[in-house]
């Protein structure tokens, strides 16, 4: 298995633009998680899905953030409009039930200028 | 109550020494305690994990010690090597719920 695949690896965009981050989880994993990592706040859980259904989106910072999982093999995290304070590394992870541990992707480094 | 508190924030150890990272939690319903290792430019990777029915788990040079009554657990890296230099995160979860991560410890091992 190729692991959790995220794209793009790097994204530089101007303030106000729409940004879409993509994730392909490991086949057979029921759970998908979106995290944001910054030096100041560490690893923050934004949202997670179970069997393609959003379970907890309490970590989504604002209405500018939205996430979808149209099928078991694909998820997107969208920021519209983007702001400089959204600059961070965004990770996607997938797992069987959490007790089995997460597998993280390599992340998308987002820079909003 | 959902927090996992991790210390120290950073740690410098000489090659061959023992690295110790500590975590504390409040939620007594937590029943799964993993440690993740993250290298620069990579996502965190599962290193070792423990459940509260045992007090210690060892895998090679890595050991988790778990103290249920104190609600604390720690990672010990024996014979630390420069290749162990990374950021380490503790985490906890309740049954199959989401993992709650600590704030991370940046470990540097010098030759």
């Amino acid at each position: 298995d190729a692991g959790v695949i995220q794209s793009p690896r790097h994204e530089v965009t101007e303030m106000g633009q729409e940004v879409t981050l993509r994730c392909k989880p490991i086949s057979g994993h029921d759970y998908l998680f979106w995290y944001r990592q910054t030096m100041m706040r560490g690893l923050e859980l934004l949202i997670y899905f179970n069997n393609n259904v959003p379970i907890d989106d309490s970590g989504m910072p604002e209405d500018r953030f939205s996430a979808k999982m149209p099928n078991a093999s694909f998820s997107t995290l969208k920021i519209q409009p983007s702001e400089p304070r959204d600059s961070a590394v965004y990770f996607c992870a997938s797992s069987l039930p959490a007790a089995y541990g997460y597998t993280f992707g390599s992340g998308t480094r987002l820079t909003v200028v | 109550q959902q927090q996992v508190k991790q210390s120290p924030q950073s740690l410098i150890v000489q090659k061959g020494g023992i690295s110790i990272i500590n975590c504390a939690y409040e939620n007594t319903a937590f029943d799964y305690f993993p440690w993740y290792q993250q290298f620069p430019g990579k996502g965190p990777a599962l290193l070792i994990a423990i459940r509260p029915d045992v007090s210690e788990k060892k895998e090679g040079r890595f050991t988790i010690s778990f103290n249920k009554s104190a609600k604390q657990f720690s990672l010990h890296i024996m014979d630390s090597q420069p290749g162990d230099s990374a950021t380490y995160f503790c985490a906890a979860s309740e049954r199959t719920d989401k993992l709650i991560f600590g704030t991370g410890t940046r470990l540097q091992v010098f030759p």
Side-chain angles (χ1 to χ4, degrees), chain B residues 13-50:
Chain B
V13 174
Q14 270 205 312
K15 178 182 175 182
I18 302 173
S19 304
I20 302 174
I21 305 170
N22 301 299
C23 284
Y25 63 97
E26 290 295 324
N27 187 349
T28 56
F30 285 153
D31 65 354
Y32 175 67
F33 302 89
W35 285 88
Y36 282 77
Q37 179 189 55
Q38 184 180 27
F39 293 106
K42 302 291 186 182
L46 179 63
L47 183 63
I48 186 173
I50 197 169

Side-chain angles (χ1 to χ4, degrees), chain B residues 24-76:
Chain B
Y25 63 97
E26 290 295 324
N27 187 349
T28 56
F30 285 153
D31 65 354
Y32 175 67
F33 302 89
W35 285 88
Y36 282 77
Q37 179 189 55
Q38 184 180 27
F39 293 106
K42 302 291 186 182
L46 179 63
L47 183 63
I48 186 173
I50 197 169
R51 296 192 183 277
D53 52 344
V54 297
S55 60
E56 185 175 284
K57 183 173 181 180
K58 184 176 181 179
E59 290 184 2
R61 296 183 294 107
F62 300 90
T63 300
I64 300 179
S65 296
F66 184 81
N67 186 329
K68 189 173 182 178
S69 60
K71 292 184 284 187
Q72 295 175 348
F73 59 110
S74 59
L75 176 69
H76 296 236

